[in-house]
Amino acid sequence: LDACAANLESAAPGTAERAVAREEYVRARRDVLPALLDAARDEAGAPAHAVGVSADAVAAVAEAHFGYEQLAEVCEAVSHEAETARDPGAVAAAAARTHHYMRTLRGAPADGEGSFATYFFERARKHAGFAGSVGARVAETLRNTPDEFYDELETCLEPHPSLLWVHQLRAENYSGAARTARGLADGGASLAE
């Protein structure tokens, strides 16, 4: 992956060479990162004396190479484990880890790579995760997203006004929530859709 990333960085933006290098990098990530995550899952069930791939090692590689899917899975598994153990310190640490990635992984816009925060918000809308349902997952995301990500979350929710107005209420953007609710009502939609 490092070699593919270096090849991508060496190609001038906007060139055919860069497009080819990007496709090679994306393909390598698609092959390597899921395999690493599978190895970490296998390691989790292995005897204590076994040596293998840890979830933290997968997270480090995923962080370095825009492996948002694997990074989200690691974050969600760590969070779920902390919640299941009912350990408030571990829950806070898991949330801090996720928010760190959301804050620092801003993507590579020149190559069409979005931020981890945007990926994470979109994933919450489509993937139930450990929450059991997409609705519960969205509610959890809306409830637990720190203020610093409100603008980015709002941008992600713009195509989904029935969720956007709830976020705007949470962000105390009452005039925005009123406009969104009015738009929903004018379009014949229900706020609960």
Side-chain angles (χ1 to χ4, degrees), residues 66-178:
F66 303 107
Y68 293 167
E69 176 71 24
Q70 293 73 31
L71 199 55
E73 287 188 34
V74 169
C75 288
E76 291 167 3
V78 168
S79 179
H80 177 69
E81 187 176 300
E83 289 169 9
T84 301
R86 300 188 191 284
D87 180 345
V91 169
R97 179 182 192 166
T98 300
H99 298 150
H100 163 76
Y101 294 141
M102 291 169 72
R103 190 175 299 111
T104 59
L105 297 176
R106 304 310 301 163
D111 293 316
E113 195 82 59
S115 72
F116 180 70
T118 297
Y119 176 83
F120 202 76
F121 297 145
E122 288 297 321
R123 179 179 166 89
R125 264 191 346 88
K126 298 173 185 170
H127 185 272
F130 292 103
S133 75
V134 170
R137 179 76 180 276
V138 168
E140 179 183 310
T141 300
L142 292 174
R143 186 176 50 252
N144 297 327
T145 298
D147 296 358
E148 69 186 283
F149 302 110
Y150 278 4
D151 290 342
E152 195 165 357
L153 179 54
E154 185 162 333
T155 300
C156 289
L157 294 177
E158 283 175 356
H160 312 283
S162 61
L163 298 174
L164 176 60
W165 81 276
V166 175
H167 168 66
Q168 289 169 323
L169 288 173
R170 167 88 164 74
E172 298 179 7
N173 176 0
Y174 301 120
S175 61

Side-chain angles (χ1 to χ4, degrees), residues 8-26:
L8 177 62
E9 286 302 312
S10 70
T15 64
E17 179 186 3
R18 186 159 182 115
V20 169
R22 171 150 174 60
E23 187 55 39
E24 180 181 309
Y25 185 39
V26 168

